[in-house]
Amino acid sequence: MEGINEKIVIRDKILIKAELELLTGMHIGTSDGIATIGAVDSIVIRDPMTNRTMIPGSSLKGKMRRLLLNAQGQKDVESCPSLERLFGSSQKAECKDRKTARLQFTDSILTDESEKELSAKQLDLSYTEIKYENTIDPITLVANPRQIERAVRGSKYDVVINYTLQNLEEVIEDFENIAKGFKLLQLDYIGGNGSRGYGRIKFNKIDVLPMQIKGENLIKDQETTIKQIMDKVME
């Protein structure tokens, strides 16, 4: 793309795989413009091929980036080079200065194990529950009841993040920031209505897998350290 730094040397790809488990119900919404009378007021996003609940890669990336920026007291990634190289430059940056991201986030789909477990339960909808809530108008004090669909507590998702290895001297710092992002996600929430207790998560396991695209493990000297850094997320 014109304006993007084209002088990028991809030395290897490293897959970061994790299992994300919901500790509380999660709501990541989608358009409900076609909802019929009597339907749920706010529905969750689903994988159109399987109808399973999902966590869009954009949701995970955006929340992790925001939490890391807040932790460093920065407003945007252009003010923080170590985060800019992980997440890329924002759209508002000048084209000539934009940088591609080293991290690529995939959509996380409900696992086969969770699909089987949830299919055996009597839930309100497929893999989800309906949460009934009231909002109160601060002026009139009139209650406005609504129905919110949530992915249920205990649901598990396969998270896959692709890291582009460009500079061996920066890989440890990059993974320290990635691990910090995972940790912050566990201390915060994903999706909407987090102040009401929605979207609390934990990571059960995290794997770091060098792809060795050139037939050599370029991070063999750092691999143990990288895995130790990521293992601390679950402590």
Side-chain angles (χ1 to χ4, degrees):
M1 180 183 297
E2 185 177 357
I4 299 292
N5 183 357
E6 302 291 350
K7 297 180 180 179
I8 295 176
V9 177
I10 300 176
R11 305 189 67 177
D12 200 359
K13 292 283 188 177
I14 302 173
L15 288 186
I16 304 165
K17 293 187 174 183
E19 181 184 83
L20 183 155
E21 180 180 352
L22 298 186
L23 300 179
T24 61
M26 176 190 69
H27 177 83
I28 299 179
T30 186
S31 172
D32 53 6
I34 61 174
T36 59
I37 295 175
V40 178
D41 297 316
S42 185
I43 61 177
V44 300
I45 190 168
R46 294 174 180 265
D47 172 33
M49 301 301 294
T50 63
N51 200 40
R52 298 183 187 184
T53 57
M54 61 180 287
I55 302 172
S58 57
S59 296
L60 204 59
K61 176 183 178 180
K63 191 57 184 279
M64 184 186 291
R65 178 179 58 201
R66 176 48 50 195
L67 290 171
L68 284 168
L69 284 171
N70 288 345
Q72 298 200 22
Q74 303 292 340
K75 293 183 178 181
D76 52 58
V77 292
E78 289 77 33
S79 304
C80 188
S82 63
L83 297 183
E84 184 181 27
R85 65 181 183 240
L86 287 180
F87 296 99
S89 302
S90 65
Q91 294 295 326
K92 67 182 180 180
E94 293 294 332
C95 287
K96 65 180 181 180
D97 296 325
R98 287 182 61 196
K99 295 179 175 62
T100 56
R102 291 184 181 177
L103 294 180
Q104 292 88 44
F105 292 72
T106 65
D107 293 339
S108 301
I109 311 298
L110 188 72
T111 66
D112 291 342
E113 176 188 2
S114 275
E115 191 276 337
K116 291 179 181 178
E117 291 178 355
L118 297 177
S119 293
K121 297 180 181 296
Q122 292 185 341
L123 298 172
D124 298 316
L125 296 171
S126 297
Y127 319 123
T128 63
E129 63 183 354
I130 304 301
K131 181 76 161 51
Y132 293 85
E133 292 194 349
N134 270 325
T135 56
I136 307 297
D137 188 298
I139 305 299
T140 65
L141 300 182
V142 173
N144 178 30
R146 60 180 179 173
Q147 303 172 359
I148 300 177
E149 185 181 17
R150 306 196 309 179
V152 298
R153 176 172 62 87
S155 299
K156 297 176 182 177
Y157 300 83
D158 288 324
V159 174
V160 179
I161 303 173
N162 192 326
Y163 171 81
T164 300
L165 175 61
Q166 297 175 353
N167 188 330
L168 283 170
E169 295 181 358
E170 296 171 344
V171 69
I172 295 298
E173 182 183 22
D174 282 351
F175 272 87
E176 287 175 342
N177 278 320
I178 294 167
K180 186 175 182 180
F182 272 66
K183 196 83 170 181
L184 289 170
L185 284 170
Q186 292 187 139
L187 296 173
D188 206 88
Y189 63 91
I190 57 176
N193 303 322
S195 62
R196 300 191 189 102
Y198 287 36
R200 299 301 196 270
I201 68 167
K202 70 172 181 177
F203 294 100
N204 293 324
K205 53 186 176 183
I206 302 175
D207 293 325
V208 178
L209 305 170
M211 292 294 95
Q212 302 186 40
I213 59 176
K214 295 183 180 180
E216 179 184 1
N217 184 1
L218 297 179
I219 63 164
K220 58 184 178 181
D221 294 334
Q222 299 103 323
E223 189 170 1
T224 299
T225 300
I226 290 170
K227 290 185 176 181
Q228 289 173 343
I229 289 171
M230 298 304 296
D231 284 344
K232 290 181 181 179
V233 171
M234 297 172 289
E235 293 180 352

